[in-house]
């Protein structure tokens, strides 16, 4: 089967033929891939940025946002009449945090935080391919085909559409009527983040912020949130801009960028008791001025990806038509070109790679 | 000034002239009344139903859902430039839980739960009148006049529009995508309750249930919630009706009736881990079958009214146009006729009594 | 192997030889049993009380509180160097909620609430035997042998020692300095419950209540809690007794009995905002007077057993010597005699059945 | 009356005679001071460190940790039979966050976070004096004299004994059996903090850490916590030291210092999902490495002082003998000498200034 694989750090992926995985055994499921989302993390991995903290054994097929159809199941996979049961042809999204199933994190439902977890596209071969072997049916979310959702819709939900959901859910008790929530960075994660801010915000006013003037214009025109703010040039004035809109500061900031600039902005606009949730990984360090942080009782939360149930909730929103997507589709053979586009900020929303027929 | 007062249990109110309260002193504020909501509790009080548990010293001006304009302030009331400051003419809603301000409940913001609280229309003269004296400016919510809201809009928010808000807020951590919330009883409280279920539900599917076929039809036509269910006749079939809609049971029930029937219905439809919040007071006793309750880990919460901050949140929703009202306005002189209408279920939504000019 | 099995409802168990389970396959583990706790639920099952709600396919080996040593493992069980890994001879407690692993409840760590769960001693052969086959190593808690704990200590922790822990954990946010918590019923569950009330109570005053004068005396002498109350005769006076001790009512009641009487007592003593958690199953119905419940904003929580992580926490307390046990040990051959003793209230604390060597 | 007042930044306090406050009016209460705790914040104020963020109008009597006896009450103060009622001679602790009573923070019980708050020893004359005028009886906590507590015991509870309590309460849901909590800095705040970690820790293992070898020895000898760690020299080895004790990292760190060093230590020892609460203000900036923070889902909470109800809870612990004090008493006339001792780290625990008779 054709797969896009990393052989050497800082070089393009090699699109090459490798053997299709063998028959699934036990709880394993073989999935025919219908779409795999392209993620900034792929760039970091290819660049070797995380080689020490998240080592990848080369060569490896990248791609951790995967959806498709069940091709074959191992003999311990239950039949469709049972919980979690699957049969050939089922539409599935792949939950990518393949935890050990036995530790405290796994046993509290956070398999993606397992210290022993495997991840497709990192420890195991991932989704830039035609087929992928999933170690247990318990990491698949079966999606009703009558929903009209396709693997291309589903793939980005497993990461870009999941990460900001968990982030906002962590602070939803701080939201409600009269509260203000700001989402910084309105690209891949932030595009979904804005929508979750409306849904989980319980009547909060939602403000989007981005440095890309064009993106700001698009989202303003689409009326996706209450206000969209361009912060391209005069960052120190962000507090004034916010105050002009809301008459006060904000209660929650979701930073989908995580750069030094955006974090500074967050602390410029937070109200007393306010919370910052960081999901973006562009920066190196978060710096917080101590005395104001204490006097204002700020709360800073870091959030990583999401868990299986959260993925189900996100897919439920998609099934009910409560979130919209912003997806560009590309064939597997063009992956290196698309990675370049992502690197250069030329992807609007999320790029999804689809294997050729 | 003209006031509608109870002199004897089980007799109509007397609409009579009484002296206008004197000049406010200290933190007191005299409010010129613009509207006072009529509540089932008034019927219970008049009927003497609660004479032992909530004694009223007769005669007394009833009416606890009050809004109007500041007429005069005591000399310890801050000027409008300070927090809580007020000046003649300000539009205000009256928070009716006049707690002692010093006990644990008051100090946690739940003044309405204070063991020593006074209440307009119960311990103190209430709002079926032209003026009302409020013991401290700290029980008033000032509303921006540019909001377009009137005292007639605001009055029901102080109780009918507040009680279901607190009820749903208590269980909002159980709501979200894929969850189902049912509001039973779509009249005064439930009309607001449905709307809060949408706002606080974070993507939950919202179902309204009522035994009044006409009301069910109106709300269905207004598309206020995802589904409306008439439960007029075949109560035991309610589980089937719900399952037909949702494919499963429900996660939260807000019972705005509190009758034996509605509570039975609630336990017929709750999922494992489900919660029932009771705010309606029509019944005498809540009966819960023990073994199923334990096996399903049900949670039953009773909820009373709301606190000052919750009232501010509800008014914020009204200011932002996020909730709609269902109000019929009547002159003070007709109050006994309107009480009869309420008794006979002839009021749609909430009746508001307005003093004659 | 010798097992104690139910063949017919309302008849004694048959102590008989049945074949030892075969070699464990896949993730299965064969456990040599070291002790199995005797539970009131066994009496209910034998009596056929729950035949409709929790059907048992006869004959069946009863016993759901089980601990022992690993005898053999299937070929998918990890080696001890990995998470959850096991090897022959390991000391283990058996978590008894054998969920499907794929549903929302399992994926949030509450496998005991899974709609498709299997249970030892109910759906599968249980612990009144010499060996038991556990379907996956992920339902075992490995216990360090240097802890000094034995299977006889561990067995009751898997249910009697787990159920009140979860119950109190559900309301621990209501506890703290100045709060009062009452545990009703100081036998099997309540004996552990009192201790958890001290540990999780965060400075709360802990009161035990029981109708058995002898038990009250023992616990008073052992100084296990701040106060112990005998409520043998004058139930309506319970409020006075409590007020004499605390100067006020109580904030949380943990009812380990669940009888009509004890629930009535709970509502006699709860403060405004108070919570009742019911774990005992002796009664049929919980009756709550509606108007007082609303005026006082009571909440009532039903709680069932506990989850895997909670079992680990309970075992951690035992390892650290923070809880004491109250166990009587009996040989498997005497099980019917011991069941009679339990039925007649002659067991102090928890009886544990041990297979003969 | 004799008072210790700041006239000029960076100069000693002037101990001088000023007029005793006049008769209390309205809700005011005049308190005869029995003891006032000396706080590092006093040094910061005297040094002018916070002159821009927390401006003090000079001259001013410092001292914000105050307790004493009611000397006289205004005519709106309720009689002792009512909630919050007071009479001459009552033993009282002064809650020092004198909020406006009308804003969202005040109405949720966090008067100390009010944007318009006044503070004794900062905006108003404080406690290094013989008498203090408190603006309303609602900021006093009446303490039963039979408790045996004295103003000298009570004074430090209003800040040093309150701040770490709130800090730990904010993360108590993360604590319990099997969890590890570390308190860094075992002086004024930390001395209380360790004890709260035991009480609110719900079975957590509690570790104290300090750079002062002598203090570490004293606390080790007093067996106040499970482990005490001297971190005087080899900070990078702190992870090893912790692992040696616990076999893993820690779940919660309470940093009562807030220096660059201690915050670095915190992130060296936190487990995945761990929380850092910062209450100490010795540093300027908190620096957090971004990628590890996200991968580990850390949360960082800043906490300031405490609210009225939390002060009541802390005093309740003292009344029940559940916390011990570490107090040195000095006469008002020696205050400048004692400030020097505090500056030089020569105070063990908390110094309390007592007016001469």
């Amino acid at each position: 089967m054709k797969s896009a694989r990393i052989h050497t750090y800082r070089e393009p992926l090699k699109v090459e033929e490798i053997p299709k995985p063998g028959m699934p055994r036990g709880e394993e499921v073989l999935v025919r891939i219908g779409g795999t989302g392209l993620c900034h993390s792929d760039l970091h991995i290819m660049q070797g940025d995380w080689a020490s903290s998240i080592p990848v054994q080369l060569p490896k097929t990248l791609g951790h946002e995967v959806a498709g159809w069940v091709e074959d199941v191992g003999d311990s996979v239950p039949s469709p009449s049972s919980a979690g049961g699957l049969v050939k042809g089922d539409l599935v999204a792949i939950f990518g945090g393949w935890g050990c199933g036995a530790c405290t994190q796994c046993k509290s439902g956070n398999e993606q935080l397992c210290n022993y977890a495997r991840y497709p596209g990192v420890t195991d071969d991932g989704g830039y391919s035609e087929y992928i072997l999933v170690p247990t049916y318990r990491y698949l979310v079966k999606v009703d085909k009558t929903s009209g959702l396709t693997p291309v819709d589903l793939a980005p939900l497993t990461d870009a559409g999941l990460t900001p959901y968990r982030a906002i859910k962590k602070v939803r008790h701080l939201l409600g009527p009269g509260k203000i929530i700001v989402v910084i960075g309105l690209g891949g994660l932030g595009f979904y983040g804005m929508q979750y801010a409306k849904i989980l915000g319980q009547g909060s006013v939602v403000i989007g912020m981005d440095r890309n003037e064009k993106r700001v214009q698009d989202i303003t025109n689409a009326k996706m949130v209450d206000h969209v703010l361009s912060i391209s040039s005069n960052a120190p004035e962000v507090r004034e801009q916010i105050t002009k809109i809301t008459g006060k500061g904000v209660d929650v900031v979701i930073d989908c960028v995580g750069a030094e600039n955006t974090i500074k902005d967050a602390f410029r606009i937070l109200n007393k008791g306010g919370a910052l949730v960081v999901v973006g990984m562009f920066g190196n360090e978060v710096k917080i001025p101590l005395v104001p942080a204490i006097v204002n009782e700020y709360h800073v939360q870091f959030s990583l990806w999401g868990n299986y149930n959260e993925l189900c909730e996100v897919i439920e929103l998609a099934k009910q038509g409560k979130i919209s997507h912003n997806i560009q589709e590309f064939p597997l053979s063009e992956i290196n070109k698309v990675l370049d586009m992502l690197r250069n900020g030329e992807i609007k929303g999320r790029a999804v790679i689809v294997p050729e027929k």
Side-chain angles (χ1 to χ4, degrees), chain A:
Chain A
M1 62 183 185
K2 197 177 280 180
S3 303
R5 291 162 68 76
I6 177 171
H7 282 255
T8 314
Y9 287 129
R10 280 170 298 278
E11 288 195 6
L13 299 184
K14 216 177 207 166
V15 180
E16 60 186 333
E17 280 291 327
I18 61 165
K20 185 174 155 184
M23 288 290 291
R25 287 176 311 174
E27 299 189 346
E28 292 174 351
V29 178
L30 182 68
V31 173
R32 178 163 64 88
I33 293 171
T36 301
L38 207 75
C39 181
H40 275 280
S41 302
D42 292 320
L43 296 179
H44 284 292
I45 292 171
M46 289 172 66
Q47 203 53 28
D49 292 347
W50 300 342
S52 62
S53 53
I54 309 168
V56 176
Q57 213 171 339
L58 306 182
K60 190 75 66 193
T61 306
L62 293 188
H64 52 274
E65 286 190 347
V66 198
W69 301 272
V70 170
E71 178 71 15
D72 213 337
V73 300
D75 56 8
S76 304
V77 176
S79 70
S81 62
S82 304
L86 290 171
V87 75
K88 181 170 177 166
D90 279 347
L91 175 63
V92 288
I94 299 177
F95 173 72
W98 298 349
C100 74
C103 70
T104 307
Q105 293 285 8
C106 286
K107 284 290 191 177
S108 68
N110 285 314
E111 295 154 317
Q112 78 284 3
L113 297 179
C114 173
N115 280 323
Y116 315 95
R118 294 158 52 193
Y119 308 95
V122 181
T123 60
D124 286 56
D125 278 335
Y128 301 140
S129 184
E130 294 177 65
Y131 293 93
I132 183 172
L133 188 66
V134 178
T136 163
Y137 66 96
R138 285 181 276 100
Y139 293 131
L140 295 174
V141 179
K142 182 175 164 180
V143 182
D144 189 354
K145 284 181 191 168
T146 66
S147 67
L149 293 171
T150 67
V152 171
D153 299 324
L154 290 170
L157 294 182
T158 65
D159 179 3
L162 178 55
T163 300
Y165 180 78
R166 178 176 177 88
I168 298 179
K169 205 173 167 187
K170 277 177 189 276
V171 289
R172 62 176 172 160
H173 60 288
L174 299 173
L175 298 172
K179 302 293 182 185
I180 321 278
I181 174 171
V182 165
V183 177
I184 302 183
L186 307 178
L189 275 69
F191 186 83
Y192 288 105
M194 286 183 297
Q195 302 182 70
Y196 300 141
K198 285 303 283 183
I199 293 167
L200 301 181
Q202 305 156 66
S204 297
V205 169
V206 179
I207 301 176
M209 272 171 50
D210 203 296
R211 291 172 194 270
N212 179 327
E213 191 68 55
K214 174 73 177 61
R215 196 181 273 157
V216 164
Q217 209 47 62
D218 288 350
I219 288 162
T220 306
N221 294 341
K223 294 181 198 284
M224 294 185 67
V225 290
D226 298 304
H227 306 276
V228 195
L229 220 56
S230 171
I231 47 168
S232 43
S233 46
N234 303 305
E237 290 167 25
V238 67
R239 175 88 200 191
E240 279 171 54
Q241 291 176 280
I242 288 287
T243 308
K244 202 184 286 174
I245 294 174
T246 68
K248 55 178 178 178
V250 312
D251 302 289
V252 169
V253 174
I254 307 297
D255 188 348
C256 298
V257 181
E260 202 169 322
N261 271 335
T262 54
I263 284 165
K264 242 187 213 157
D265 283 348
F267 288 110
R268 283 187 180 113
I269 59 179
L270 275 181
N271 281 334
K272 202 171 271 202
L276 165 65
V277 191
V278 187
V279 290
M281 300 221 224
F282 275 79
N284 290 313
E285 201 173 42
V286 171
K287 289 181 195 161
I288 309 167
L290 179 64
V291 174
I294 287 183
V295 168
N296 290 297
E297 286 205 332
Y298 288 144
H299 181 197
V300 183
Q301 174 73 58
F302 300 89
S303 190
L304 180 77
W305 212 349
N307 66 28
Y308 183 92
N309 278 344
E310 288 161 350
L311 176 55
C312 293
E313 289 162 29
V314 156
I315 291 175
E316 185 65 32
L317 287 176
K319 278 165 64 179
Q320 296 183 10
K322 288 177 176 161
I323 50 174
S324 68
H325 307 275
N326 189 17
I327 292 173
Q328 287 177 275
E329 210 175 310
F330 299 93
L332 178 54
S333 55
E334 295 181 16
I335 190 163
N336 283 306
K337 193 192 78 182
V338 189
L339 284 163
D340 281 342
M341 292 171 67
L342 181 66
R343 202 175 280 118
N344 301 330
E346 292 162 23
I347 299 291
K348 299 202 324 184
R350 202 70 168 178
V352 173
I353 301 299
V354 180
E356 276 96 332
K357 313 249 151 57

